[in-house]
Amino acid sequence: MLVLSRAVGEIISIGDHITLRILEVNNLQVKLGVQAPTGVNVHRAEVYERIRHQQANPVPVPNP
């Protein structure tokens, strides 16, 4: 894992097309702005895991 220190307003680049900007730091909370191409989905980890779980275990739709 790469650990970086950044101040408010500074940017982290991921490849050529994704950037993270530090927007705000309050005590134990950091607000990030993510800029990525339209085709790149960006989710919080817990949301991403829920989506993956739902895709792996789809709920069957009852036939009328």
Side-chain angles (χ1 to χ4, degrees), residues 11-61:
I11 296 174
I12 297 168
S13 296
I14 301 173
D16 293 332
H17 305 291
I18 300 172
T19 58
L20 303 175
R21 181 183 296 268
I22 310 305
L23 300 176
E24 186 177 325
V25 178
N26 287 323
N27 296 323
L28 299 177
Q29 186 178 53
V30 177
K31 289 188 180 181
L32 300 173
V34 180
Q35 187 171 17
T38 304
V40 175
N41 295 320
V42 179
H43 302 285
R44 296 185 327 255
E46 65 274 14
V47 172
Y48 180 69
E49 288 301 320
R50 192 175 332 134
I51 291 168
R52 286 186 48 192
H53 178 73
Q54 290 172 348
Q55 290 173 341
N57 303 298
V59 176
V61 177

